[in-house]
Amino acid sequence: MRWATRSSLLATAILLLGGNPQAAPEAPELPELLRGLDRASRLYLDTALRFTCDETITEPFKGAHKVGRFQYIFVHEPDGSLHDYRMKTGKGVRPEVDPGKLGFHHFLQRAYFWVLVFNGSRQKHFRYAALGEADALGVKAQMIRFEPIPPYREAINDWFGTAWVDPETFQILRVEAMKADKHENWERLRRDLEVLTAGGEEPAGRYYEIQTATTEFGMVKNGMRFPSRAEVVSSIYYFSKAKLPDRASLAKEERTLQTYKRYKFYGVRTRDEVRNMLHPGPIQHPDEGR
C-alpha cells in the first residue's frame, strides 16, 4: 500500500509549484531562457520540419498489458498548417487512428508540444519561475516552473509543471506536468492533509484523481530534440479513518508508457541553421558536440 503524506506532496510541490533545489548564479537569467525557448518553439512550427517515427503505447490492465503500435506522422500542409496524426503500423496508406477509440485511457496526444508552452505568443498566458540547476539526460539543466494564468484554455494554457532546459541550446530535456483540472484535485488533497494534521475536519471518504505526465527528449537531430519516452501516471487517493491523520491511501494507479523510436526526417533545418536560429546575432557559439 502506498500513501501520500505531507512530505511526499512537498516533493511534488517543488516540481509543480515552486522551490529552490540548487542555486546557479552563473546560469542564464530567466528572461534570456524564455527568449531562447521562444526561438526553439518556432523550430517546431517551422514548415521545413517533417518526420515520422514509431510510437508504442503500453497501458497496463488487470493481469495483462494493452499494447498499441503506431506510426506517428508530423507534417506541414501546403498552406503551412501543422498536421500530426497516427496510423497503425503496416505498409501502404492506412487510415488515421485515435488511440482513445482503441481502448487507451491515458496518453499524451502530442508528446513534443511542451516547447509550445514557451512560445512567445503564449508566454502572456503563463507565469514562469527559475528553480535552479539539476541534471537531466546527462546535461546540467535549468529548471523552469510554468503555471497557467486563468482562465485555462484547452491546448493553450491548461498545464502546470516544470521543464528541464539545456541553457546552451534552449532545448527541453525533460518535463513533468499536471493538467489544470487534476492540479485542482492535487491542491484539494494537499489542503485536506494540512487540515487533518491540524486536527480539523475529517475528510474520510473523499477521493482525489491526480494525473501526472513526464516526457523525455532523448532523440537529437541537427541540434533539435524530440521525444523518446513519455509516461502518464493516473492515481486515485482517498482518506480512511484507519490510516494516520497525515496520510491518504492510494486506491488505484495506472501507468501508460509511450516510447518513440526509428525517427525518419523528411525535412529539417541543417545543424548550422538551427544553431543560428537559436543564437541569432554576432555572438558565435561553439559546437558542443550535441
Side-chain angles (χ1 to χ4, degrees):
M1 177 66 71
R2 287 177 52 194
W3 300 279
T5 65
R6 292 185 66 188
S7 60
S8 66
L9 288 174
L10 177 60
T12 303
I14 290 176
L15 296 178
L16 295 176
L17 297 177
N20 186 25
Q22 297 180 28
E26 297 182 0
E29 296 291 336
L30 180 60
E32 180 184 349
L33 288 171
L34 292 177
R35 286 192 293 270
L37 283 161
D38 171 43
R39 294 193 294 271
S41 74
R42 285 182 244 153
L43 286 170
Y44 293 84
L45 299 174
D46 184 1
T47 54
L49 179 61
R50 292 177 292 128
F51 68 84
T52 67
C53 65
D54 292 345
E55 178 188 44
T56 301
I57 303 179
T58 305
E59 187 172 270
F61 283 83
K62 292 182 179 179
H65 288 77
K66 183 177 181 65
V67 179
R69 293 181 173 85
F70 307 95
Q71 185 178 21
Y72 186 91
I73 296 93
F74 182 105
V75 297
H76 285 271
E77 302 295 353
D79 63 359
S81 61
L82 172 65
H83 187 199
D84 61 326
Y85 58 97
R86 294 171 172 88
M87 301 186 303
K88 285 188 176 181
T89 55
K91 296 181 179 181
V93 178
R94 286 144 284 146
E96 182 176 347
V97 296
D98 177 1
K101 295 181 179 179
L102 298 177
F104 291 94
H105 299 84
H106 312 292
F107 64 95
L108 284 178
Q109 184 69 31
R110 298 177 176 90
Y112 71 87
F113 88 103
W114 297 110
V115 71
L116 299 183
V117 168
F118 298 95
N119 183 267
S121 65
R122 298 191 186 186
Q123 288 187 11
K124 62 185 177 182
H125 300 298
F126 286 89
R127 297 185 184 93
Y128 304 96
L131 302 185
E133 185 179 86
D135 290 333
L137 299 181
V139 177
K140 291 291 185 183
Q142 291 297 312
M143 299 170 66
I144 301 178
R145 184 183 80 239
F146 52 91
E147 177 181 328
I149 299 172
Y152 308 133
R153 287 177 288 175
E154 181 76 22
I156 298 294
N157 67 328
D158 57 341
W159 287 88
F160 290 75
T162 296
W164 284 252
V165 179
D166 183 343
E168 294 292 327
T169 66
F170 304 111
Q171 296 285 302
I172 292 179
L173 303 163
R174 177 184 173 89
V175 171
E176 291 187 9
M178 188 179 294
K179 211 161 188 181
D181 57 342
K182 300 302 187 291
H183 184 268
E184 291 177 0
N185 294 342
W186 183 88
E187 283 282 8
R188 287 196 302 112
L189 173 58
R190 183 181 62 82
R191 287 194 299 267
D192 286 348
L193 279 171
E194 292 177 348
V195 169
L196 266 180
T197 303
E201 176 188 0
E202 173 60 60
R206 295 181 187 174
Y207 284 79
Y208 311 79
E209 182 183 2
I210 298 172
Q211 189 175 93
T212 58
T214 302
T215 307
E216 293 180 351
F217 289 77
M219 172 64 195
V220 183
K221 174 67 174 179
N222 290 357
M224 290 181 65
R225 284 187 174 268
F226 297 89
S228 54
R229 183 181 187 278
E231 184 177 36
V232 178
V233 180
S234 183
S235 308
I236 297 178
Y237 287 94
Y238 72 99
F239 286 107
S240 170
K241 292 183 178 180
K243 303 300 178 186
L244 295 176
D246 65 342
R247 293 184 178 183
S249 299
L250 177 64
K252 182 180 179 182
E253 184 173 271
E254 293 182 346
R255 293 175 178 264
T256 301
L257 179 64
Q258 296 168 250
T259 57
Y260 301 87
K261 299 179 180 179
R262 288 183 280 277
Y263 276 84
K264 295 180 181 179
F265 293 89
Y266 300 96
V268 63
R269 298 286 181 178
T270 66
R271 184 181 180 83
D272 287 342
E273 286 177 323
V274 168
R275 186 189 299 113
N276 291 336
M277 291 176 73
L278 291 173
H279 299 280
I283 298 176
Q284 297 298 314
H285 294 264
D287 189 337
E288 295 295 337
R290 297 195 216 284

